[in-house]
Amino acid sequence: MERHRDPVNQTSRVRLRPLLIFFAVVVIIVLSAVFAGLLPRLRRGQALQASVETQREQLPAVNVTAVRKSSANAPLELPGDLHALIESPIFARADGYIVKRYVDIGDRVKKGQPMAEIEMPELDQQILQARAMLSNSQSTLAELQAALTLSTANLKLAQKTADRWGQLEKHGAVSHQEADEKSSNLDVRRAEVDAAQSKIRSARDLEAANEANIRRLQQLKVYSRVTAPIDGIVTARNVDVGTLINSGNGGAAQELFRVAEIGTMRIFVNVPQAYASSIRTGEKAELRVQEMAGQVFPAVVDRFSHEVDPGSRSMLAILLVPNPRGILFPGTYAQVRFASTQAAASLLIPGDALITGSKGTRVATVDAENRIHFREIRVGTDYGSEVEVLSGVSAGDLVVMNPTDAVREGVRVEVRKTGEARH
């Protein structure tokens, strides 16, 4: 007997087939997306790994220069600082506030030229008070002089009266008591005259003191106009109109302006002890400024400090250089070249090769196998671009310029030689 198929099962199978097909398609799409994203990542990882291995195999490149020995007849070149021949700070002599300002930073001024006006109301009141005191003392003096005239007249009268009563006493016309009274009155009148003269002297001294005080205050009033003490250029201005000025009476004095004379400049140079004796007063030198390439300014040694600094083992030398065009400025860093002969040749390295830290001053050197070795050195004179080395390296040794973190002890490097700087 033939079995009949269940219609319900057939219907369920028909409904499940599209659903299964849909899930299969989704799974295929997801797997395709995963493989599509994974393959590029695998390729990038492989490329990155290959790049890392290449970098590991590549040697760090360093610029090196040879330690050189200076010539025994080489000129001596030292760094120096430029200063104005005269740099004068300007302060007020009396308290007040600025009512006018005539100059600003960078202006050129002549000696005696007005720079600012200061209003001094308190000083004006002091002058009025001093004049009143002088007038009072003069009036007192006039009264005392009148009193002296009266006292003198009374003295003359008392003198004549005493003389008359003395004559009468001799003839017995008056008693001794009455004559003594007239004589005592004469003494009183004399004392009054002496007292009046003493008061007049005191009044005259007071009058002189009041006159001196007025002259002092009037002289301070002259300082209400601030003027330039020298010919020069204004390098600083610390006040403006309305600024309250303190001359230092009861507080710190305030600097109003600063004027520098730059027609002639001074150069301060620290000359090493070994060369101090070879440089003389009046010796000529050359000054150069890095920002003014090709320009050489003649200088002359003006004076020495005649004392060696125990810290730097150098002696301060001051040179003068004409600056008629005003193109050299105070505070500028410059190089001064002396045509003096050195006592002995010295080892020089560029300043960029120095490594300073907790381990002292060192340099990184490169041996014959292009491996890095650090050496501790002792530094001598600093010539600006180059530094004298007293110990730690020898002439011809290769030192690394501007060493980076990649420069480590024993590491092999790729050497790139640079041109040697000349001192």
Side-chain angles (χ1 to χ4, degrees), residues 252-267:
Q254 181 181 7
E255 180 181 307
L256 308 183
F257 302 93
R258 185 176 291 269
V259 178
E261 181 183 340
I262 62 173
T264 299
M265 302 291 291
R266 294 187 298 169
I267 309 102

Side-chain angles (χ1 to χ4, degrees), residues 75-81 268-275 311-314 333-336 338 342 346-354 356 361 377-390 423:
L76 177 63
E77 187 169 336
L78 297 172
D81 295 321
F268 287 66
V269 180
N270 290 314
V271 180
Q273 178 180 342
Y275 307 103
S312 61
R313 300 300 177 188
S314 62
Y333 176 84
Q335 291 286 333
V336 179
F338 298 92
Q342 298 181 5
S346 58
L347 297 179
L348 300 174
I349 63 172
D352 295 338
L354 294 179
T356 57
T361 304
I377 63 172
R378 189 160 63 94
V379 176
T381 304
D382 185 354
Y383 296 107
S385 60
E386 290 185 306
V387 177
E388 180 186 14
V389 179
L390 303 178
H423 169 58

Side-chain angles (χ1 to χ4, degrees), residues 70-76 274-279 283 338-345:
S70 64
S71 172
N73 296 321
L76 177 63
Y275 307 103
S277 60
S278 63
I279 299 176
E283 179 179 348
F338 298 92
S340 53
T341 304
Q342 298 181 5

Side-chain angles (χ1 to χ4, degrees), residues 4-298:
H4 295 281
R5 294 179 179 178
D6 189 355
V8 175
N9 292 337
Q10 290 181 354
T11 303
S12 299
R13 291 174 182 173
V14 171
R15 291 177 178 178
L16 287 174
R17 186 176 302 163
L19 187 60
L20 293 175
I21 294 173
F22 172 75
F23 279 114
V25 172
V26 170
V27 170
I28 292 172
I29 293 173
V30 170
L31 292 176
S32 299
V34 170
F35 282 110
L38 184 60
L39 288 177
R41 291 181 62 186
L42 291 176
R43 293 192 185 98
R44 287 196 297 270
Q46 291 175 355
L48 181 61
Q49 183 66 25
S51 176
V52 171
E53 291 178 356
T54 302
Q55 291 181 359
R56 288 178 180 176
E57 295 176 356
Q58 184 178 1
L59 299 178
V62 295
N63 295 323
V64 299
T65 187
V67 178
R68 72 179 187 88
K69 183 178 291 187
S70 64
S71 172
N73 296 321
L76 177 63
E77 187 169 336
L78 297 172
D81 295 321
L82 283 169
H83 296 262
L85 183 63
I86 301 175
E87 190 165 11
S88 176
I90 301 174
F91 295 87
R93 292 292 302 273
D95 299 340
Y97 60 91
I98 300 292
V99 292
K100 292 181 181 179
R101 177 177 58 79
Y102 302 111
V103 298
D104 206 342
I105 296 174
D107 291 344
R108 295 185 179 274
V109 294
K110 295 291 185 180
K111 183 177 181 180
Q113 177 181 336
M115 301 180 69
E117 292 281 351
I118 302 178
E119 187 73 20
M120 303 175 177
E122 294 182 358
L123 181 60
D124 294 337
Q125 293 299 321
Q126 292 176 12
I127 292 176
L128 292 176
Q129 183 181 3
R131 286 174 177 170
M133 293 177 64
L134 175 60
S135 178
N136 185 32
S137 63
Q138 289 173 343
S139 299
T140 302
L141 178 60
E143 293 177 359
L144 292 174
Q145 288 174 339
L148 176 61
T149 302
L150 178 61
S151 299
T152 303
N154 291 333
L155 175 61
K156 290 180 180 179
L157 178 61
Q159 181 69 50
K160 292 180 179 179
T161 302
D163 293 341
R164 293 191 187 100
W165 282 78
Q167 293 296 327
L168 292 174
E169 181 187 7
K170 291 179 180 180
H171 294 86
V174 294
S175 64
H176 294 294
Q177 178 67 30
E178 291 174 330
D180 291 341
E181 288 177 358
K182 301 303 180 184
S183 178
S184 297
N185 185 51
L186 177 61
D187 293 336
V188 171
R189 297 305 178 185
R190 286 174 178 169
E192 288 177 351
V193 171
D194 292 339
Q197 290 175 342
S198 178
K199 290 180 180 179
I200 288 176
R201 287 193 295 269
S202 298
R204 286 175 177 170
D205 291 340
L206 180 60
E207 181 185 24
N210 289 331
E211 289 175 347
N213 187 38
I214 288 179
R215 288 194 297 270
R216 180 184 66 86
L217 295 175
Q218 288 175 339
Q219 184 62 40
L220 288 177
K221 184 66 176 178
V222 173
Y223 293 119
S224 62
R225 170 168 289 192
V226 181
T227 58
I230 57 174
D231 296 347
I233 187 169
V234 180
T235 58
R237 174 184 64 81
N238 301 316
V239 294
D240 211 332
V241 174
T243 303
L244 182 64
I245 303 302
N246 185 358
S247 63
N249 300 321
Q254 181 181 7
E255 180 181 307
L256 308 183
F257 302 93
R258 185 176 291 269
V259 178
E261 181 183 340
I262 62 173
T264 299
M265 302 291 291
R266 294 187 298 169
I267 309 102
F268 287 66
V269 180
N270 290 314
V271 180
Q273 178 180 342
Y275 307 103
S277 60
S278 63
I279 299 176
R280 306 293 182 184
T281 301
E283 179 179 348
K284 296 182 179 180
E286 295 178 349
L287 182 138
R288 292 176 173 83
V289 179
Q290 183 177 0
E291 293 76 14
M292 301 178 184
Q295 297 192 50
V296 179
F297 301 90

